[in-house]
Amino acid sequence: MTSTHRFLTIMTFVCLIFTASFSYAGSAGTLDTDFDTDGIVTTDINGHDSANGVAIQADGKIVVVGTTEDLTDSPKFIVCRYNEDGSLDTTFDADGIVITDVGGDDASARAVAIQSDGKIVVAGKSGDDGNTSITVVRYTTNGALDTTFDIDGIASEQLAPMTHNWGDALIIQPDGKIVVAGTTWTSNYNFGVVRFKTDGSMDTAFGSTGKKVIDFGDWDFVYSVALQTDGKIILAGRSDAA
């Protein structure tokens, strides 16, 4: 267990910091008043915002990803970066907030990881309801779209065509390849995993096409992914199969 537990309970990007008794002067379970004076940060983007993933950079800065929409336009990926004291990091796109239109009426950012070079990788979905793709966006350390990644910083792939596809979790391998785990619909919902090369192209060394679908026989959903020391990929989720 790490010395400080940081939870994000989000309607409009709220950060709650809980402090372990052996780390700071505060008692266990109390809000960390070093974080925005009361342990809570709220960032209102468009009034309809949600956070789904968080990562801590090597320098201690906090990266939160999610989705925002103003109900008059399509949902968009959002990335916020906070300093350790809870303030928005103005070295990140000038105001600490980056909004990216990945396309479609059913887009959402669901997971984030930090590369060893500091670049930020976000995974989720884009497209219209019933025809979505697993989507990965990579940002430079200052919040710009990384044009070395699939030309425009955005890569998308469907595990099954013209249906529901989304990514819920990602990891970055030691070689820099990006593994996204999620769910796809064929005749039911199935586990799915895709692997991208560092340039955003599909890694055809993985399952010959860069992607793999696993059907347990009923509705199956992936929620998390991890990498073993031997490079094997572990998926975890839910299956309704008997």
Side-chain angles (χ1 to χ4, degrees):
M1 181 178 294
T2 57
S3 59
T4 302
H5 310 282
R6 299 188 174 183
F7 301 89
L8 288 98
T9 304
I10 305 297
M11 291 181 63
T12 53
F13 285 94
V14 182
C15 301
L16 303 182
I17 305 300
F18 294 89
T19 307
S21 59
F22 54 82
S23 175
Y24 296 99
S27 59
T30 59
L31 288 167
D32 181 3
T33 55
D34 291 335
F35 189 74
D36 200 48
T37 71
D38 61 358
I40 302 171
V41 170
T42 301
T43 306
D44 189 351
I45 312 299
N46 280 316
H48 294 84
D49 316 307
S50 63
N52 299 316
V54 60
I56 310 298
Q57 296 186 168
D59 60 4
K61 292 181 179 180
I62 303 163
V63 179
V64 179
V65 303
T67 307
T68 185
E69 57 182 315
D70 61 10
L71 301 187
T72 64
D73 199 2
S74 60
K76 297 174 177 62
F77 279 26
I78 190 163
V79 183
C80 294
R81 191 164 75 189
Y82 300 88
N83 296 308
E84 288 187 271
D85 64 1
S87 60
L88 283 165
D89 176 15
T90 55
T91 68
F92 189 70
D93 200 47
D95 61 357
I97 301 168
V98 174
I99 298 174
T100 305
D101 187 353
V102 293
D105 61 20
D106 193 23
S108 66
R110 296 168 176 257
V112 58
I114 312 298
Q115 292 189 170
S116 58
D117 60 2
K119 290 181 179 180
I120 298 166
V121 182
V122 180
K125 65 176 176 176
S126 65
D128 296 325
D129 184 31
N131 184 24
T132 54
S133 301
I134 289 176
T135 300
V136 176
V137 183
R138 192 165 73 191
Y139 301 88
T140 64
T141 56
N142 64 6
L145 286 168
D146 179 11
T147 56
T148 68
F149 187 74
D150 202 45
I151 302 175
D152 61 355
I154 303 171
S156 295
E157 184 66 30
Q158 290 190 321
L159 287 158
M162 302 296 291
T163 187
H164 300 278
N165 299 272
W166 67 86
D168 263 326
L170 82 152
I171 52 172
I172 299 171
Q173 297 184 169
D175 61 5
K177 291 179 180 179
I178 300 165
V179 178
V180 181
T183 303
T184 187
W185 172 270
T186 52
S187 58
N188 51 46
Y189 286 109
N190 303 309
F191 277 32
V193 59
V194 298
R195 190 163 74 183
F196 296 88
K197 295 180 180 178
T198 57
D199 63 1
S201 62
M202 293 294 294
D203 178 18
T204 55
F206 182 76
S208 76
T209 61
K211 53 190 176 182
K212 180 71 175 179
V213 175
I214 305 164
D215 184 0
F216 296 106
D218 209 327
W219 283 20
D220 314 310
F221 301 90
V222 172
Y223 298 133
S224 61
V225 61
L227 190 69
Q228 291 188 169
T229 55
D230 60 3
K232 292 179 181 178
I233 297 165
I234 306 297
L235 305 180
R238 160 194 153 191
S239 176
D240 291 341

